[in-house]
Amino acid sequence: MEDTYGDGGRGSSRASDVESGGGELSAPRLRVDTPERAGLDATELGHLVREVRDLTTGERPWAAGVVAVAGRGPVIAVREAAGWAVRYVSYDPQTDAGVELPPAERVPMTVDTPFDLASLTKLFTSVAAVQQIERGTLGIDARVGAYLPEFRGAAEHGITVRQLLTHTSGLRPELPLYDCPDDTARLALLRAEAPTGQPGTYLYSDLNMLLLQFVLERVTGRTLDVLVHEGITRPLGMTSTRFGPCPGAAATEDQRRPWAKADRGMLRGVVHDENAWALGGVAGHAGLFGSGRDLAVFCRTLLAGGAYGPARILGPDFVELLLTPPGLGFAVDQPWFMGELACRGAAGHTGFTGTSLVLDPATDTFLVLLANTVHPRRRPPDSRPRAAAATHLARAVCPRP
């Protein structure tokens, strides 16, 4: 188990030991320090930490393992890991329980463990899109058909880039690409897909980010994984964030029918999402792996107006465009997973595997909560622990002098 406010013996927690940006144009880098130095109440954060630890205990824990990273401004005040990155060898449907590995073979969770980020991938796709909007190579209100005329379903109904980013295209939540025999069949299915809902009405859909991926690859001539690496993760020093495979990641599901959509066995280090897997692991809606610290850097960058250290990935006006309600890719003010942060203009997202992040520009705070809730198998989603953790962070905010 990790130390509450330090590195759990895996690194220094002294502010002087953490790299900071140099030069007048550099934005401060994150450092690990005390809650007081962050302007946060230590007692409230203590409640957050204890509840995070409790999420991995009992006969049917909320998750096999959890990592929480929280802070304010450039200070990380909580870095906590609990439970197991790998606890089960399989799932037994007869007993509706996981078959545990012998204790010596389990893999403990650490603050550096990478996770299958699932739908948090959508945030990176959204940032990559807004980067192209900032550069003038992509029009936010341009029609998808202007870039992808062969996607006749989207073209004929006038779907726009903004509608993809705000989940208002009318496209259904997903397609069974995992059942197609080959890439040709998968592409044909996507190209023919037309809205099933009323365009302009919110309907969350993985297909929005898949189409956005194709748009980005068409206008830039580069694949999505290259766009994310070159435009986001490399300049920000997010060295653990990449599309899979990721052998050291926390395990996810013993993926089998009928509860899943494919028969793949216990998954670790390969994308959990069946459609992203069918597409080779790189998809606009899922496929990224990353650590809590890396996502804290991502949050800090957006809270700082698009800059981190000497790097800038977006201008402040375009960060504001991302986070202004209803948000571009980001969900804004959603109490079901943001708790009491939701009333302040917070933005963030969740992922099916148990991942989430929230950043609150009003208080300059962020919370990353990563868990392998689908290990050893998926359950009905329960975001109450996410909301509770975010509420503790909201209540921890102290007035700044």
Side-chain angles (χ1 to χ4, degrees), residues 357-388:
L357 65 81
V358 182
L359 55 98
D360 180 23
T363 58
D364 202 20
T365 56
F366 60 88
L367 170 66
V368 177
L369 190 64
L370 303 178
N372 50 353
T373 58
V374 297
H375 183 54
R377 70 152 287 187
R378 64 190 71 186
R379 303 281 183 185
D382 177 10
S383 279
R384 287 175 296 179
R386 294 169 174 148

Side-chain angles (χ1 to χ4, degrees), residues 58-61 64 87-101 252-254 256 259 266 374-379:
E59 290 186 7
R60 293 186 180 272
R87 177 175 176 175
Y88 304 99
V89 66
S90 64
Y91 166 75
D92 182 357
Q94 300 302 316
T95 61
D96 188 28
V99 179
E100 291 190 313
L101 287 162
T252 54
E253 185 178 32
D254 183 4
R256 287 183 274 154
W259 58 83
M266 184 60 74
V374 297
H375 183 54
R377 70 152 287 187
R378 64 190 71 186
R379 303 281 183 185

